[in-house]
Amino acid sequence: MPQQYLNYIDGEWKPAASGSWNENRNPAHWNEIIGLFPKSGVEEVDEAVAAAREAYKSWRLVPAPERGAILKKAGDIMVERKEDLARDMTREMGKVLAETRGDVQEGIDTAYYAAVEGRRLFSHTAPSELRNKMNLSFRMPIGIAGLITPWNFPMAIPCWKTLPALLCGNSVVLKPASDTPLTATHLVEILIEAGVPKGVINLVHGGGGVVGNRLVEHPDVDVISFTGSSEIGKAINAKAGATLKRVSLELGGKNAQIVMEDADLELALDGVLWGAFGTTGQRCTATSRLLLHQAIYDQFLDMLVGAIKCLTVGDGLDPKSKVGPVVNKSQIETVESYVKIGKAEGARLIVGGHQLTDGAHKDGWFYAPTVFADVQPKMRLFQEEIFGPVLSVAKVKDFDQAVAYHNDCIYGLSSSIYTRDVNRAFRAVRDLEAGITYVNGATIGAECHMPFGGVKQTGNGHREGGWPVYEFYSEIKTVYIDFSGKLQRAQIDNY
Ligand code: NAP
């Protein structure tokens, strides 16, 4: 009998009232059930929101540096458990150990950064237009934050949301992805151990259409932060409008790496291998399009195919594996459907294009790293997010065409250019329509103290990470203090 894990509501671990469970399976060995997680419903969400509201009354009064000290302790515990956390994460979603260690490290960094913000939480002060009067503003908590997270960064993304929300004095109801409930459970265990009081952090497992949707619709949830697909993000935005919630959306991407004719090609090759096939291509910042200058097109494609043939695909726990499995059956079907679409559109399949089912791959969801060449901007392969190990390559005649191709896309998350020409590098920084641009680096590699997010249909303008996320989770209170001892009327008595 696999282990049963529970929801955490109002300081207690408890099952769902339905008595039903969702299985969490290892994508590298589909027969291995990692655990059973409660199939919660509206009832559990309502209970968690009520507990969060009650706990908020006292949590909002805890000084921010004290809240920060609790989060620092959570970071310390993550440091101690880093290896175990990474191993469980690899088992539940597949990416290789080096990457799951990095995912945990992102959580640690976010905890330590949050602890520091507890001693800052800056707001503005400004001079008054009247004598003997002071104007100040403060950051106040907002209330209850409903946090809905995807499976591809099971520790980093829940930390990006939960830790700043708590630091700002909000209480939290976390609904993790159904594919990665175990890592979220570990995170909540750590927060409890670090001293987050009962009711301040709540965890409700269950399907997005029920649990996530109830959080979005719940009249007593003030903030929704969602990371996931654009389709669901748009629906959430529309629904959350009914109760005027503050909503942060981090959605899909179709990120491109540009390689100019003057680039260091070996460096650019390392970048695209890491960008396109790290996390098996299942990153919002994955390199999904490669724009090659015509002068190096054939040479770079040869280098790319040669390098891909040396990538070992396998169980992420095996140190030899460079690329892990795809997360589940439905995701592998999506990848297969896009390979069919690419062939039908006339793109040239130069490597991969099939599921791996032999020997070590036989009971997991493995897909060969795949490259299509001669992709044209109007093709679906060039335009749509696939979220798997599929790279689409297009030829460009010069820098301007590279920028135009890059920007011909509804998404705008990450971008990259490899060039030794400093003028072109700065023009790319200015002209690529994306929330993030890397110069001589892959499209992936966010650092927790820098703003993270995209333009166009990648989101709704908010950022995770860095300072902006603390603005998102706090409300401004403006205060005027008049010590003149008389009625002073702004805009009237001084003119
Ligand atoms: P998803 O299917 O949109 O799910 C994301 C989360 O939303 C999951 O917790 C899911 O629950 C929940 N959900 C599903 N339906 C819902 C509904 N009707 N109402 C409320 N919540 C609902 O995305 P995913 O497959 O997990 O992740 C892949 C996507 O995330 C890609 O598009 C990727 O680009 C994007 N992503 C973006 C960023 C970024 O920062 N821009 C980062 C990572 C990933 P269940 O798991 O129970 O279905």
Side-chain angles (χ1 to χ4, degrees):
M1 179 69 178
Q3 187 171 342
Q4 290 180 334
Y5 292 85
L6 302 170
N7 289 326
Y8 186 70
I9 300 174
D10 200 15
E12 276 182 52
W13 292 99
K14 34 176 117 165
S18 69
S20 308
W21 303 87
N22 285 324
E23 290 173 353
N24 181 18
R25 286 175 180 260
N26 181 343
H29 305 283
W30 194 242
N31 297 325
E32 180 191 336
I33 299 178
I34 291 165
L36 299 175
F37 289 82
K39 203 182 242 181
S40 312
V42 166
E43 192 179 334
E44 283 77 21
V45 178
D46 289 358
E47 199 189 335
V49 172
R53 179 58 66 191
E54 187 57 30
Y56 172 65
K57 291 179 191 161
S58 46
W59 182 242
R60 64 183 280 276
L61 300 177
V62 175
E66 200 177 317
R67 295 194 293 253
I70 294 174
L71 300 182
K72 155 82 172 55
K73 187 156 179 219
D76 293 341
I77 300 170
M78 279 188 241
V79 170
E80 281 164 26
R81 302 201 188 142
K82 182 172 172 181
E83 190 60 20
D84 290 345
L85 291 167
R87 285 183 173 274
D88 271 354
M89 197 190 301
T90 293
R91 283 173 62 228
E92 76 171 339
M93 59 73 70
K95 65 186 171 186
V96 299
L97 259 183
E99 293 189 50
T100 50
R101 288 181 187 127
D103 198 314
V104 178
Q105 188 60 45
E106 181 85 13
I108 295 165
D109 295 345
T110 302
Y112 289 162
Y113 178 59
V116 171
E117 281 302 345
R119 291 197 173 268
R120 305 197 318 163
L121 273 190
F122 291 143
S123 195
H124 289 101
T125 62
S128 170
E129 63 186 50
L130 290 158
R131 288 169 193 255
N132 297 319
K133 191 178 169 199
M134 276 181 191
N135 298 349
L136 315 126
S137 67
F138 296 93
R139 297 208 161 270
M140 314 294 279
I142 306 176
I144 315 297
L147 309 178
I148 305 171
T149 54
W151 48 264
N152 62 342
F153 283 88
M155 181 60 91
I157 293 180
C159 284
W160 282 3
K161 296 183 190 302
T162 306
L163 306 184
L166 292 175
L167 191 276
C168 289
N170 306 288
S171 45
V172 164
V173 180
L174 172 63
K175 183 263 173 277
S178 295
D179 279 308
T180 50
L182 181 58
T183 304
T185 302
H186 289 329
L187 172 61
V188 169
E189 287 164 352
I190 288 167
L191 290 170
I192 297 163
E193 201 175 322
V196 175
K198 101 182 177 111
V200 172
I201 178 76
N202 301 276
L203 173 70
V204 183
H205 295 289
V210 178
V211 174
N213 187 58
R214 179 60 184 158
L215 277 174
V216 173
E217 290 186 339
H218 199 297
D220 206 25
V221 171
D222 306 284
V223 178
I224 289 287
S225 180
F226 169 84
T227 299
S229 57
S230 293
E231 185 195 350
I232 291 174
K234 285 177 193 172
I236 285 178
N237 209 25
K239 276 190 194 161
T243 44
L244 288 179
K245 290 181 178 33
R246 184 178 296 199
V247 180
S248 170
L249 301 171
E250 293 296 338
L251 311 175
K254 189 73 187 175
N255 315 290
Q257 173 176 319
I258 298 170
V259 184
M260 299 307 297
E261 77 285 9
D262 64 341
D264 177 335
L265 296 188
E266 291 292 345
L267 188 66
L269 180 64
D270 284 345
V272 73
L273 291 173
W274 176 227
F277 304 113
T279 316
T280 323
Q282 303 166 114
R283 291 182 182 225
C284 51
T285 52
T287 308
S288 185
R289 298 179 295 161
L290 177 64
L291 308 178
L292 295 179
H293 190 278
Q294 58 186 1
I296 47 102
Y297 189 77
D298 292 331
Q299 179 191 355
F300 198 83
L301 284 183
D302 286 347
M303 291 165 68
L304 183 60
V305 171
I308 286 173
K309 286 185 176 157
C310 299
L311 285 179
T312 307
V313 180
D315 183 344
L317 290 175
D318 182 340
K320 289 196 292 300
S321 300
K322 293 284 180 257
V323 179
V326 169
V327 74
N328 57 33
K329 182 164 185 267
S330 131
Q331 203 67 30
I332 218 157
E333 284 166 359
T334 302
V335 170
E336 291 211 299
S337 76
Y338 273 100
V339 168
K340 274 197 196 125
I341 289 167
K343 287 178 184 165
E345 285 179 317
R348 183 162 57 97
L349 179 67
I350 56 173
V351 65
H354 54 88
Q355 204 174 330
L356 297 170
T357 50
D358 58 303
H361 302 117
K362 69 178 183 321
D363 54 347
W365 302 118
F366 294 98
Y367 205 87
T370 297
V371 179
F372 279 98
D374 305 345
V375 176
Q376 302 298 319
K378 290 294 163 244
M379 292 179 179
R380 289 180 63 189
L381 218 48
F382 190 91
Q383 296 289 343
E384 297 175 16
E385 185 180 49
I386 300 172
F387 225 59
V390 181
L391 176 67
S392 301
V393 190
K395 188 190 284 187
V396 292
K397 67 178 190 305
D398 55 20
F399 175 79
D400 289 339
Q401 190 172 52
V403 172
Y405 275 25
H406 173 277
N407 292 344
D408 180 9
C409 175
I410 59 167
Y411 299 109
L413 182 51
S414 187
S415 56
S416 143
I417 182 162
Y418 283 77
T419 179
R420 290 175 165 122
D421 178 336
V422 70
N423 293 347
R424 278 206 296 223
F426 275 94
R427 282 174 59 202
V429 167
R430 184 191 63 193
D431 294 339
L432 294 177
E433 292 170 359
I436 305 166
T437 295
Y438 292 88
V439 175
N440 293 324
T443 57
I444 57 186
E447 299 179 27
C448 81
H449 56 294
M450 295 299 287
F452 179 93
V455 302
K456 297 162 126 180
Q457 292 193 23
T458 288
N460 61 346
H462 290 292
R463 291 291 181 271
E464 305 230 72
W467 167 248
V469 77
Y470 293 88
E471 291 183 326
F472 176 75
Y473 287 111
S474 58
E475 200 86 82
I476 298 283
K477 165 70 69 76
T478 304
V479 180
Y480 298 99
I481 302 171
D482 191 320
F483 48 97
S484 69
K486 60 183 181 188
L487 173 68
Q488 299 200 89
R489 297 174 301 173
Q491 299 95 39
I492 297 172
D493 291 340
N494 44 341
Y495 291 103

